[in-house]
Amino acid sequence: MAVFSIEELNWLRPAPSDFRAKLRALDPTIEIEALVELANHALDLNKLTQLNRALGKVDPAQAKDAALSSVRLAVLADATTEYIAPAIRASALRHGIFTTLYVPDYGQATQEVLNPESGLTSFGADMALLAPDCRSLGLATVYMNPDNAKAAVDAAIAQIRSLVDGLKRTAIPTVILQTLPIPPDPWCGHYDRRTPGSVAAQIAAFNEDLLDLAEEQSLTVLDIATLADTVGRSRWFDPAYWHRAKLPFALDCVPLYADHVARMLGTLRGKARKCLVLDLDNTCWGGVIGDDGLDGIRIGQGTAEGEAFLAIQRYALDLKTRGVVLAVCSKNEEDAARLPFQKHPDMLLREDDVSVFIANWTDKASNIRHIAKLLNIGTDALAFLDDNPAERERVRQMLPEVAVPELSDDPALYPTALAQAGYFETTGLSADDEQRADQYRANAARSVAMETIGDYGEYLKSLDMVCEARGFDDIGRTRIAQLINKSNQFNLTTRRYTEAEVAHMQQNPDLFTLQIRLADKFGDNGMISVMIFRKGTEDWICDTWLMSCRVLGRRVEEAALGLVADAARQAGAKRLIGEYIPSEKNRMVSGHFEKLGFAKTAEEADGRTIWQLDLAGYNAPAQLPMTLNSPPADAAA
Amino acid sequence: MTREAIFNDLNEIFADVLDLGDLSLTEATIADDVEEWDSLSHIRLVVSIEQHYGFKFTTAEIEALKSVGDLVDCIQKKTG
């Protein structure tokens, strides 16, 4: 493969030639993993449609068993959606999501949103995708008078705003907006961007206003304008099919569009990847370090090949800048593999950019599993870049949950594959993201410190921990939402809330919320724990209690309980009620409430347990190995 | 291209688009004869045929299609 086609999803493997036969041979009611495996190929619209049909036979309960998160999605579009909806549903499997869709009839979207009696209201969506078209928003007409152009843009934004308000009334917690692509045919040509009355200028102004609206209301944005630019607007728009069937964009672009919708659903459900695992030989530099030696490998300015590998390293570092953890997994002698990082003057990647460095002759799948373990994250949080097709295939077979992009023969296109696959999609950036790689490295330093000190209590004291706790606020909001959506292991209830929902919680007087940060002498861990309690007169009920596994065993949970107990007592409550909902990944906290002195009051058939702590009999731990800074309880509440 | 070769292509494309088992189209086959061939799948059919042969139909050509035989005529004309 010497070309890389974005609209054909070339970071995915080509579909098997007997795709339809394979699909027909499956029993979708029991082989949902096999459906996910098929979804992980580059599928055209016909294949997506076939896969969607098989998905129709799957029971949502089974999807949950297969570790797919469920999303009830309302697709609210002005144009024809019959082709988009099945494609979204099938593509969602690729991103760990099982969707149930609600798609109003053609032209009914606005009415459905504004009518409280509509099917949309009774559907009970978790998320709504607003996918308007410039032609139905009144942005396809040109004006000589700038005032008229401004009025058209304002009216279009007002229409979106009223839909967003309507969706809020429908209690749909998460709204995804789309920017509008600019149709390719100009009006005045090169002057279009300079005259407000052109369609190009109106749509550009609309998109700016839309981003402001999203910022103001913490909404998610799918940047379809940029997506259309990426494939080319003259390919994206297809006037013949707009006239024939009101298709908002070319049918060939539906698989790409659907994958972008699906990756956003996955991201909102915390499925984005956290770590990039890099092979070395012929992935990070040209040649084989063990054979070619330090002066034989191709890396650096001066040759096209060396610059191409430099660009891969640059992209990996760009990811690290926003909190993606980097790891190395290479078949090499470790000394040889580390040599370029230490000694080669042209290398951009250095040893301290890499959180886990594994070079040996063991099978890569085992090494990748080991990397996940050392980082305390799931293997489903990894993406693996390797030029060798055999290694890629092996890792896919052993660890189908690891994202492994297909690569073209030309290393110049590796960054494109990695970037276009969208493994590290995000809905927001926080200050914590910037520090994450340092935090993972500091963690390794702590493990070494513990080995030398020996006594665990002494070790904790030696860390000089400072714990900061306060209620939810604007500054913490993005990170709070990230933790709520990403934490799997130390998470008692695994309830997911979007950033917009977290914003509502800040204002809700019936909730007691806490965000907790922890620093120590090795570094700042940033925000590491989030709690939400529902306040009753007698009982305060734990809705959410989660903590980052990075700070496991640091007694933060005891400090946190002390804070909640204090606040509850001051409010006159008698008891704290805890709830443990078992998931695939949170077994480590099944005994959490018991350890903290709660008594079990109920155990459900599905494994859910309910716990109770009488505040009268509770004594906060006398000495915790940390300085605790928290505002008075009433302020925190 | 021979009509036979085009029929072979179309049988495959129709099966893929309509997600049906083997089917054998004839000159006289019309939409009403085939399960799943409705106005929506018709658009996917047209686009899949365009992708397969690497040409585009004009709107007038599409509107003139009444049967599979017409479709084969049109493909023959366009592929020369």
Side-chain angles (χ1 to χ4, degrees):
Chain A
M1 184 174 48
V3 288
F4 185 92
S5 159
I6 292 169
E7 59 268 40
E8 287 173 21
L9 282 59
N10 275 172
W11 60 90
L12 296 167
R13 288 166 284 168
S17 54
D18 57 346
F19 176 86
R20 202 158 59 88
K22 275 203 163 99
L23 194 58
R24 295 197 143 217
L26 285 176
D27 180 353
T29 59
I30 52 171
E31 294 174 280
I32 185 155
E33 281 89 356
L35 292 183
V36 175
E37 160 65 13
L38 283 174
N40 269 307
H41 291 82
L43 304 182
D44 63 22
L45 181 57
N46 291 332
K47 294 187 174 64
L48 289 169
T49 308
Q50 292 159 20
L51 185 58
N52 174 60
R53 187 180 288 193
L55 257 178
K57 298 172 192 148
V58 174
D59 175 0
Q62 279 159 355
K64 205 180 157 202
D65 291 342
L68 296 171
S69 294
S70 115
V71 170
R72 294 176 71 79
L73 175 71
V75 179
L76 305 169
D78 296 321
T80 303
T81 45
E82 274 80 358
Y83 307 100
I84 295 168
I88 291 175
R89 216 154 164 258
S91 306
L93 288 184
R94 223 175 260 155
H95 299 276
I97 300 291
F98 182 84
T99 54
T100 308
L101 292 189
Y102 183 79
V103 186
D105 290 339
Y106 180 82
Q108 297 299 303
T110 306
Q111 274 165 268
E112 289 264 342
V113 174
L114 301 179
N115 172 10
E117 309 280 290
S118 70
L120 175 65
T121 314
S122 51
F123 173 70
D126 307 313
M127 303 187 192
L129 172 67
L130 274 186
D133 186 271
C134 64
R135 289 155 283 209
S136 52
L137 276 176
L139 295 176
T141 313
V142 296
Y143 301 99
M144 284 302 283
N145 181 341
D147 293 341
N148 293 343
K150 184 167 187 321
V153 172
D154 289 348
I157 281 290
Q159 196 178 330
I160 298 291
R161 197 179 269 278
S162 80
L163 289 173
V164 169
D165 290 344
L167 290 170
K168 271 193 194 155
R169 283 194 300 275
T170 321
I172 296 177
T174 302
V175 177
I176 305 169
L177 304 177
Q178 290 187 178
T179 53
L180 295 177
I182 298 172
D185 297 336
W187 174 44
C188 306
H190 292 270
Y191 194 71
D192 266 6
R193 305 254 293 195
R194 301 172 65 179
T195 181
S198 70
V199 168
Q202 289 175 64
I203 291 179
F206 170 89
N207 285 340
E208 288 297 317
D209 291 352
L210 186 87
L211 294 176
D212 289 344
L213 174 68
E215 206 59 40
E216 170 196 313
Q217 307 211 16
S218 294
L219 309 173
T220 302
V221 175
L222 207 50
D223 191 4
I224 300 305
T226 298
L227 188 63
D229 287 345
T230 306
V231 300
R233 290 187 277 128
S234 65
R235 273 192 56 73
W236 184 267
F237 284 93
D238 188 333
Y241 282 97
W242 171 257
H243 300 316
R244 275 174 215 163
K246 293 294 168 282
L247 302 189
F249 53 89
L251 226 41
D252 319 357
C253 293
V254 170
L256 178 67
Y257 171 82
D259 190 77
H260 276 255
V261 174
R263 68 176 67 164
M264 189 54 86
L265 302 181
T267 304
L268 286 163
R269 282 285 187 261
K271 304 270 183 181
R273 312 278 163 169
K274 297 171 185 165
C275 170
L276 173 63
V277 182
L278 295 161
D279 166 55
L280 296 179
D281 292 331
N282 289 314
T283 299
C284 286
W285 54 68
V288 176
I289 182 69
D291 297 337
D292 302 327
L294 198 56
D295 47 9
I297 60 169
R298 276 92 64 199
I299 180 71
Q301 303 292 337
T303 67
E305 199 193 1
E307 289 186 30
F309 286 107
L310 215 49
I312 297 162
Q313 298 197 6
R314 165 60 54 208
Y315 191 72
L317 283 173
D318 287 349
L319 289 173
K320 181 191 162 237
T321 302
R322 63 176 180 85
V324 174
V325 176
L326 301 183
V328 159
C329 177
S330 163
K331 280 191 175 161
N332 258 313
E333 294 299 334
E334 181 163 354
D335 291 349
R338 284 185 181 269
L339 202 58
F341 289 83
Q342 296 160 342
K343 296 276 164 68
H344 202 295
D346 293 326
M347 285 277 292
L348 283 173
L349 282 170
R350 292 292 163 189
E351 276 180 305
D352 58 5
D353 294 317
V354 179
S355 294
V356 180
F357 195 112
I358 294 188
N360 56 32
W361 301 100
T362 310
D363 170 59
K364 285 203 176 180
S366 318
N367 278 336
I368 286 173
R369 222 179 264 130
H370 188 55
I371 288 170
K373 211 172 154 201
L374 285 175
L375 292 171
N376 228 333
I377 57 181
T379 39
D380 59 358
L382 304 178
F384 174 55
L385 192 73
D386 195 320
D387 67 294
N388 183 335
E391 297 288 7
R392 295 200 295 261
E393 207 42 46
R394 169 83 182 147
V395 171
R396 283 188 195 119
Q397 275 170 14
M398 300 301 292
L399 302 170
E401 69 280 13
V402 174
V404 185
E406 278 298 274
L407 295 176
S408 103
D409 299 335
D410 189 342
L413 292 171
Y414 292 2
T416 302
L418 200 52
Q420 295 297 336
Y423 301 131
F424 305 103
E425 195 68 48
T426 183
T427 54
L429 292 177
S430 67
D432 278 48
D433 290 322
E434 204 182 332
Q435 291 160 20
R436 182 143 329 109
D438 294 334
Q439 290 163 358
Y440 276 93
R441 255 206 333 285
N443 239 3
R446 287 182 198 104
S447 318
V448 173
M450 189 174 132
E451 279 165 15
T452 37
I453 295 177
D455 179 84
Y456 192 67
E458 286 302 309
Y459 158 71
L460 285 185
K461 265 190 239 162
S462 78
L463 287 176
D464 301 333
M465 290 187 280
V466 179
C467 181
E468 295 247 9
R470 67 178 108 108
F472 290 2
D473 56 18
D474 287 344
I475 300 168
R477 193 171 63 220
T478 300
R479 176 65 178 156
I480 291 167
Q482 273 183 353
L483 278 172
I484 286 176
N485 286 294
K486 283 184 183 172
S487 303
N488 292 315
Q489 300 181 81
F490 196 115
N491 192 337
L492 275 305
T493 55
T494 324
R495 294 197 170 99
R496 308 299 196 193
Y497 299 110
T498 60
E499 194 170 334
E501 290 173 278
V502 172
H504 287 302
M505 289 178 188
Q506 278 171 237
Q507 316 296 338
N508 187 339
D510 299 328
L511 296 178
F512 175 83
T513 59
L514 271 187
Q515 49 169 324
I516 301 176
R517 292 163 186 277
L518 188 72
D520 63 36
K521 69 176 179 186
F522 290 111
D524 186 353
N525 290 285
M527 193 189 299
I528 44 85
S529 183
V530 169
M531 302 171 85
I532 303 166
F533 274 76
R534 280 180 274 135
K535 298 194 248 179
T537 2
E538 304 252 298
D539 294 343
W540 279 29
I541 299 166
C542 181
D543 175 274
T544 296
W545 190 338
L546 62 86
M547 196 174 80
S548 160
C549 289
R550 293 203 303 264
V551 297
L552 217 55
R554 308 280 283 271
R555 304 187 65 186
V556 174
E557 56 274 38
E558 291 173 64
L561 177 63
L563 292 173
V564 181
D566 274 353
R569 263 194 198 125
Q570 278 188 27
K574 302 277 187 290
R575 282 169 298 269
L576 298 183
I577 307 296
E579 183 187 14
Y580 166 70
I581 306 175
S583 74
E584 289 261 308
K585 292 182 171 170
N586 73 351
R587 194 165 310 134
M588 67 182 290
V589 288
S590 59
H592 170 77
F593 287 113
E594 189 173 11
K595 277 186 215 150
L596 292 173
F598 284 64
K600 197 195 290 183
T601 57
E603 180 154 7
E604 313 285 334
D606 59 4
R608 205 165 65 98
T609 50
I610 307 291
W611 304 79
Q612 177 175 313
L613 181 75
D614 285 318
L615 289 168
Y618 167 78
N619 291 314
Q623 270 196 323
L624 286 168
M626 66 187 76
T627 312
L628 192 58
N629 295 331
S630 73
D634 56 328
Chain B
M1 276 184 89
T2 66
R3 294 185 82 79
E4 197 193 345
I6 295 174
F7 265 104
N8 282 339
D9 290 347
L10 289 183
N11 276 326
E12 248 176 66
I13 293 171
F14 272 62
D16 195 35
V17 171
L18 306 177
D19 197 9
L20 297 170
D22 288 342
L23 85 173
S24 37
L25 301 166
T26 67
E27 299 276 352
T29 308
I30 58 169
D32 288 347
D33 300 337
V34 183
E35 184 195 354
E36 310 290 342
W37 186 359
D38 56 19
S39 61
L40 285 171
S41 53
H42 184 68
I43 297 280
R44 277 196 297 126
L45 271 175
V46 170
V47 171
S48 298
I49 294 165
E50 288 177 338
Q51 280 174 343
H52 182 85
Y53 292 107
F55 61 62
K56 294 265 183 191
F57 292 106
T58 67
T59 303
E61 281 166 342
I62 292 174
E63 281 174 356
L65 298 176
K66 298 287 177 257
S67 67
V68 172
D70 295 343
L71 183 58
V72 176
D73 289 343
C74 187
I75 292 171
Q76 246 181 345
K77 201 174 75 204
K78 291 182 83 84
T79 52

